[in-house]
Amino acid sequence: MATITWKITKLDRHPSYGDMTDVVYTVYCYCRAVELDESFAEIEFNINIPFSNSDSFTPFTQLTETQVFNWVWDLGHDKQAMETLVLTKLKEKQSGNLPADELPWAG
């Protein structure tokens, strides 16, 4: 059975926005499925974070990965669907049915 891992890899932020500093506007993350034999598949994506209001602002240094992932889920990325997709991608990769991750013009 595969182990699924979620990770935030980068946060883009505005140095200042109104009277706030270090305001996050893009989250970069991935969902990875790894089998016991160390074969894996992953989905990388980024999502823009709309600014809502200063009442709910959390200073950058106080953000947690859980809080930022909650933004991702609240903005419409379906966690369960993405985990199902990455597991499907892993099974296809293991069976040899997954197309190469090459660009059509790179050949």
Side-chain angles (χ1 to χ4, degrees):
M1 173 128 197
T3 300
I4 295 178
T5 305
W6 286 90
K7 186 73 178 164
I8 294 179
T9 58
K10 181 181 173 186
L11 299 173
D12 285 341
R13 53 194 165 139
H14 292 293
S16 63
Y17 188 89
D19 61 344
M20 293 156 289
T21 59
D22 294 327
V23 179
V24 174
Y25 64 90
T26 305
V27 176
Y28 299 83
C29 50
Y30 66 77
C31 176
R32 178 181 292 156
V34 181
E35 281 287 2
L36 292 175
D37 66 0
E38 297 186 15
S39 60
F40 72 95
E42 70 180 21
I43 299 169
E44 296 177 89
F45 64 98
N46 62 294
I47 184 168
N48 293 326
I49 306 298
F51 183 73
S52 55
N53 63 55
S54 60
D55 294 338
S56 63
F57 180 74
T58 303
F60 185 80
T61 58
Q62 295 176 20
L63 290 174
T64 65
E65 191 170 43
T66 299
Q67 179 180 6
V68 176
F69 268 124
N70 284 332
W71 296 345
V72 171
W73 312 145
D74 291 346
L75 289 168
H77 279 70
D78 184 330
K79 181 179 180 183
Q80 186 62 47
M82 295 197 73
E83 289 178 355
T84 299
L85 182 61
V86 78
L87 288 170
T88 299
K89 187 175 179 181
L90 177 60
K91 288 177 187 172
E92 289 173 346
K93 184 177 181 181
Q94 291 172 324
S95 69
N97 293 329
L98 187 66
D101 291 334
E102 297 175 6
L103 299 172
W105 54 86

